[in-house]
Amino acid sequence: IGVAAPLLTHMRTERRQRETTDGREDYIQLIIGFVWEGACDFSFNAPLGLSVGIKDFKISAELYVALLELTAHPPFIGGVSAWMTDPPEFDLDWTGALDVLDSEIIDSALMKMVGDHIRKIICLPNRVSFMMDPLANVLRVKAKP
């Protein structure tokens, strides 16, 4: 979307421990801040000859990533779990017939609706997890670090 790549604003790596049924276990946590200012300009013709589109967008967020079930053999991690503490902040510049969405009232209602959907997927207590090693304990990868 556009020609601009996301920009990492900060990244910290922390070695952490968590308690498991087998005792304490190390994991690595990444805290990644990013901003993506998509320099895009796309539109299409809607019914009734109306043109609608988006000129620019901006998304900023902080993403937490846990590298879990560390091993001494490839792929070296059993799984990855990612989450946000808050939904991303974003802004869209609508064009054409959708330019009316740039009003503060409509824009804030739309952003709240999108934020609520993101919150249900990746904001705590929700998270996105996936396995890297089929031998890893799936319950430990899916559980809160």
Side-chain angles (χ1 to χ4, degrees), residues 2 7 9 17 28-29 31-32 45 56 71-72 78 82 97 104 106 109 114 120 126 137 142:
L7 172 69
T9 58
Q17 288 190 333
I28 298 169
Q29 181 170 290
I31 300 139
I32 305 164
N45 291 324
D56 290 308
T71 65
E104 192 169 323
I106 295 173
V114 172
K120 289 177 187 175
N126 303 309
N137 184 326
K142 299 282 184 182

Side-chain angles (χ1 to χ4, degrees), residues 99-119:
D99 198 31
V100 67
L101 296 177
D102 281 334
S103 82
E104 192 169 323
I105 294 170
I106 295 173
D107 196 43
S108 65
L110 181 63
M111 297 307 161
K112 181 185 179 331
M113 183 177 71
V114 172
D116 287 346
H117 286 292
I118 292 170
R119 193 174 287 112

